[in-house]
Amino acid sequence: MKRKCIGLFSGLMCGLAVLAVSGCGAGEDGSDASLQEPVAAESTKTDELTTSEEETTAAPDKKEESAASGVSETEEFDDTQVYDAVLQRFYELISEGGNDECDFGEGERGVWELAVGMETDDVLEQTGYAVQDISGDGIPELLIGYIAGEEDMIRGNCIYAVYTCQDYTPYLVLEGWYRNAYYYLGEGRFFNTGSESAFCSIFGTYQMTADGTDLNCEDFWYTGMKENDSSEMEFYYNTSGDTESADSEKLEISDDEFWQIEETLKKQAISLELTPFSSFAAAQGNAGTTQEALVHAEWAEEIQPEWSGYETFTADEGEYAAGVVFTSEKTVRDFKLTALTMREVDDQGNITFDASTIYTLDVLTPDHPLIVQMSLPETIPMYGISYRVNEDDETVRCFTVQISGKDGSLLLEETDW
């Protein structure tokens, strides 16, 4: 993630030999109708493709047995515990305001696009979330979407991300953005529309699997450039969701008939009742501090009087090294400071690191922080921290240490090495 570098601190703590710093509850829908039947490759007819909204069909049957979710049927599902970290990350992404130099994580592209193009307060009001079981397996999903006024109902149904739970961990099922938009049709079904290139527009319908972890294509349409004539488009259909499928059928229909299919599907989208992210903090109430907030990183400008003591460590003595203090709101265990080396970057800009532990503490307590001397680069993180919250919980939370491009403050961003 690109960050703007700020001035570094020197002469941090006199008297110390070295300073340390590591370095939609369902609403009203536009129409209850759906396309009559998936279009068979050997029997497509124009009138079948432009079926009127009065013709309907039942959604495909779901599997009777779902895959293991990590939550037993008799155990109460705590969506606050499971999804709070995801919601906190989206809230922070919006609150940071977004900018052209800001990166975004998996599942966050659609909300990031809004944060870049709109005022922060507007995004907090017009982006929201809902937790409901749309797969029907007894495990509620988390949906992130756009809240719009009556004048913008089509976009109001837009879903940016859907998560389910696997082994008590959020699992991303789908991600939508401006050129790859999803709309909820009800009964675990989604409509998707977007484009793969200037000559290839796509749209189709998908059914969530019985365990909520994937989407199966029902019907899929796309456009292609006519061979030897780029001024004309051709239209195709399949049930694989793949523009390269050998099973695709070329449709002998007009432009108007083709785009009427998309319009018919759009009208089936329903509005979800979403809680705006402007209410996120209040919605948390006194439920407790999220795991991301347990440990904080700040520039170590002075020693706080409430500290009964502190640990120090020098990760970097270079010209640009500065002091960073790590404090905790409650005792955390197996605290580790890690040196990070970038290994690879995928097509979405996600970085994979090689990690090497350079300092450890059995516990980090509120009155006994850690001060580390380190250098923080402008772009690629060089340091991370990790810890466990509970003595009997083996779950390890990992974060990179970075500088905010908005105000120069320090950020701990959760990640996987």
Side-chain angles (χ1 to χ4, degrees), residues 139-156:
I139 304 300
E141 280 73 36
L142 169 66
L143 298 93
I144 309 292
Y146 188 84
I147 304 172
E150 294 181 0
E151 73 285 355
D152 193 18
M153 284 308 296
I154 290 296
R155 194 178 186 188

Side-chain angles (χ1 to χ4, degrees), residues 314-335:
T314 299
D316 187 355
E317 294 181 319
E319 178 183 359
Y320 299 107
V324 176
V325 58
F326 294 95
T327 58
S328 178
E329 294 189 5
K330 61 178 289 186
T331 298
V332 298
R333 301 177 183 279
D334 296 336
F335 181 93

Side-chain angles (χ1 to χ4, degrees), residues 106-369:
E106 186 181 33
E108 300 170 357
R109 180 169 180 171
V111 173
W112 175 82
E113 287 180 338
L114 288 183
V116 170
M118 298 172 59
E119 294 293 330
T120 298
D121 288 346
D122 291 337
V123 183
L124 288 171
E125 287 291 339
Q126 293 180 259
T127 309
Y129 59 94
V131 177
Q132 57 180 276
D133 181 12
I134 61 173
S135 65
D137 65 349
I139 304 300
E141 280 73 36
L142 169 66
L143 298 93
I144 309 292
Y146 188 84
I147 304 172
E150 294 181 0
E151 73 285 355
D152 193 18
M153 284 308 296
I154 290 296
R155 194 178 186 188
N157 297 318
C158 191
I159 304 299
Y160 295 128
V162 175
Y163 295 82
T164 191
C165 171
Q166 279 197 321
D167 298 324
Y168 295 98
T169 301
Y171 177 88
L172 181 65
V173 182
L174 71 81
E175 177 180 14
W177 58 89
Y178 181 74
R179 294 173 64 86
N180 180 44
Y182 283 88
Y183 302 87
Y184 189 50
L185 302 178
E187 299 296 328
R189 299 176 65 244
F190 290 87
F191 168 65
N192 173 244
T193 179
S195 62
E196 293 190 355
S197 70
F199 299 101
C200 183
S201 295
I202 63 173
F203 61 87
T205 61
Y206 297 80
Q207 174 71 54
M208 180 172 281
T209 57
D211 63 359
T213 62
D214 204 355
L215 298 178
N216 290 330
C217 181
E218 296 178 324
D219 300 290
F220 182 73
W221 294 263
Y222 65 96
T223 65
M225 182 176 63
K226 187 174 183 178
E227 188 175 358
N228 300 323
D229 187 356
S230 60
S231 65
E232 291 190 32
M233 304 297 292
E234 295 180 326
F235 308 110
Y236 298 88
Y237 169 87
N238 63 49
T239 58
S240 66
D242 183 2
T243 57
E244 302 296 327
S245 173
D247 296 330
S248 296
E249 177 191 6
K250 181 179 176 181
L251 305 177
E252 300 298 334
I253 59 177
S254 67
D255 288 19
D256 288 344
E257 290 171 325
F258 182 82
W259 296 115
Q260 182 58 47
I261 300 172
E262 181 187 38
E263 186 64 25
T264 299
L265 290 168
K266 278 186 178 181
K267 290 181 179 180
Q268 296 176 33
I270 65 175
S271 295
L272 296 172
E273 184 177 346
L274 305 178
T275 300
F277 276 99
S278 59
S279 301
F280 174 71
Q284 300 308 293
N286 298 318
T289 307
T290 61
Q291 291 185 349
E292 285 92 335
L294 291 181
V295 175
H296 302 277
E298 299 176 302
W299 296 112
E301 300 182 69
E302 61 182 25
I303 300 174
Q304 301 299 318
E306 65 268 21
W307 296 347
S308 61
Y310 40 83
E311 300 293 329
T312 64
F313 177 74
T314 299
D316 187 355
E317 294 181 319
E319 178 183 359
Y320 299 107
V324 176
V325 58
F326 294 95
T327 58
S328 178
E329 294 189 5
K330 61 178 289 186
T331 298
V332 298
R333 301 177 183 279
D334 296 336
F335 181 93
K336 296 179 181 180
L337 176 66
T338 303
L340 302 176
T341 302
M342 184 178 70
R343 183 166 69 244
E344 62 182 5
V345 182
D346 65 20
D347 294 339
Q348 286 72 46
N350 300 311
I351 302 174
T352 303
F353 296 96
D354 289 324
S356 176
T357 300
I358 57 177
Y359 184 81
T360 63
L361 282 173
D362 290 339
V363 294
L364 181 68
T365 64
D367 61 352
H368 200 90

Side-chain angles (χ1 to χ4, degrees), residues 6 9 12 20-22 295-302 304 306-307 322-328 369-372 374 376 401-402 408-412:
I6 70 170
F9 296 89
L12 175 59
V21 178
S22 62
V295 175
H296 302 277
E298 299 176 302
W299 296 112
E301 300 182 69
E302 61 182 25
Q304 301 299 318
E306 65 268 21
W307 296 347
V324 176
V325 58
F326 294 95
T327 58
S328 178
L370 169 66
I371 302 175
V372 182
M374 62 173 67
L376 296 176
V401 184
Q402 302 190 45
S409 62
L410 292 177
L411 299 173
L412 295 179

Side-chain angles (χ1 to χ4, degrees), residues 79-121:
D79 57 78
T80 300
Q81 179 182 1
V82 172
Y83 295 132
D84 185 62
V86 177
L87 293 172
Q88 181 71 25
R89 171 56 191 153
F90 274 101
Y91 177 78
E92 291 173 354
L93 178 67
I94 297 169
S95 298
E96 289 173 7
N99 58 73
D100 292 336
E101 295 183 344
C102 179
D103 202 352
F104 50 85
E106 186 181 33
E108 300 170 357
R109 180 169 180 171
V111 173
W112 175 82
E113 287 180 338
L114 288 183
V116 170
M118 298 172 59
E119 294 293 330
T120 298
D121 288 346

